[in-house]
Amino acid sequence: MTQDELKQAVARVARDYVADRLPVGGILGVGTGSTANFFIDEIAAIKDRIGGTVASSEATAKRLQRHGIRVLDLNDVDAMGIYVDGADEIDHGMAMVKGGGGALTREKIVAAVATTFVCICDASKRVAVMGKFPLPVEVIPMARAHVARELVKLGGTPKLREGMVTDNGNLILDVHGLSIADPVGLERQINQVVGVVTNGLFAERGADVLLLATDGGVETCTR
Ligand code: 5RP
């Protein structure tokens, strides 16, 4: 199967997961990226049973609205049953690297509100140790150089993502050369650097459920 076929397959299983587990009228968080886009296209078929969605990016909000799916402001939502999103890497402890699409901050906020985080990805994203995919860090523009120096002290090689301004008006530093043996510790350490808005490690709040598309079918893994 091609990678797109795997993404399509996992999106279908995620749609069924939502149809089975989200109470009718419940609120669904929706992630960002190509796998999330397949998922959005799938949930158009069940939009009448979803009370509303919260989007993790402007791009996702637009795609949801094109399907006629209701998009809510997170501040108007008291509880969210399920958040479905992709990942750039996921380890066996269900910690993830995210932010390849630059939406990490809103993704982390939506994930924090959701009861269940369902990660959807193809098998190429499952790794023993994260870090091969450069770790995205969203920074306040005036702090870019300071944060970059601090990330070097942590053992990484930060590179500014050219031409990228996030939905929040900030910049992204992609940190190369990390081998992330302690995802929770590194997530906390980077969060301590003044000028960092969010880093792409989703370890303190990892995935609760992983739907993993393989050539043999979609596997369900839980914490
Ligand atoms: C966007 C993300 C995405 O979930 C991640 O980049 C995976 O994207 P894709 O499904 O296109 O491989 O974190 O900020």
Side-chain angles (χ1 to χ4, degrees):
M1 282 169 101
T2 65
Q3 201 176 21
D4 273 357
E5 285 168 342
L6 292 170
K7 289 177 183 182
Q8 175 83 66
V10 77
R12 275 195 220 108
V13 172
R15 175 206 59 205
D16 293 345
Y17 183 97
V18 169
D20 288 348
R21 316 262 174 135
L22 189 75
V24 174
I27 305 299
L28 175 68
V30 184
T32 298
S34 56
T35 317
N37 282 344
F38 280 114
F39 173 68
I40 293 167
D41 296 346
E42 286 295 328
I43 57 168
I46 58 163
K47 67 181 175 190
D48 292 342
R49 32 177 314 134
I50 298 170
T53 59
V54 175
S56 64
S57 64
E58 300 295 339
T60 287
K62 282 198 187 95
R63 197 176 186 101
L64 287 162
Q65 282 159 343
R66 276 204 301 274
H67 282 295
I69 300 169
R70 190 165 170 232
V71 178
L72 303 171
D73 185 320
L74 183 61
N75 292 306
D76 296 328
V77 165
D78 295 326
M80 181 191 304
I82 299 175
Y83 175 53
V84 177
D85 198 358
D88 298 301
E89 289 184 331
I90 182 161
D91 73 10
H92 291 272
M94 305 287 258
M96 295 162 284
V97 165
K98 292 183 44 54
L104 60 160
T105 298
R106 294 190 187 196
E107 291 173 341
K108 206 174 264 196
I109 294 168
V110 180
V113 176
T115 306
T116 304
F117 186 139
V118 179
C119 177
I120 53 172
C121 55
D122 64 83
S124 70
K125 307 288 184 73
R126 195 98 197 260
V127 297
V129 179
M130 299 185 294
K132 193 168 175 205
F133 189 92
L135 177 66
V137 178
E138 180 165 349
V139 298
I140 300 286
M142 75 170 287
R144 173 181 51 83
H146 166 68
V147 173
R149 285 190 293 271
E150 296 300 309
L151 291 169
V152 169
K153 288 182 198 163
L154 294 176
T157 305
K159 292 206 172 106
L160 180 67
R161 198 180 296 182
E162 295 292 342
M164 174 81 198
V165 177
T166 69
D167 286 347
N168 314 306
N170 297 315
L171 304 174
I172 301 277
L173 292 171
D174 289 308
V175 189
H176 296 249
L178 293 171
S179 178
I180 305 173
D182 174 13
V184 172
L186 186 62
E187 182 178 5
R188 286 184 189 154
Q189 262 186 308
I190 297 176
N191 281 342
Q192 295 297 322
V193 178
V194 173
V196 168
V197 178
T198 315
N199 73 80
L201 270 168
F202 286 55
E204 289 217 66
R205 202 280 185 255
D208 301 299
V209 176
L210 167 62
L211 301 177
L212 189 70
T214 72
D215 282 329
V218 176
E219 294 171 12
T220 303
C221 316
T222 48
R223 240 183 220 274

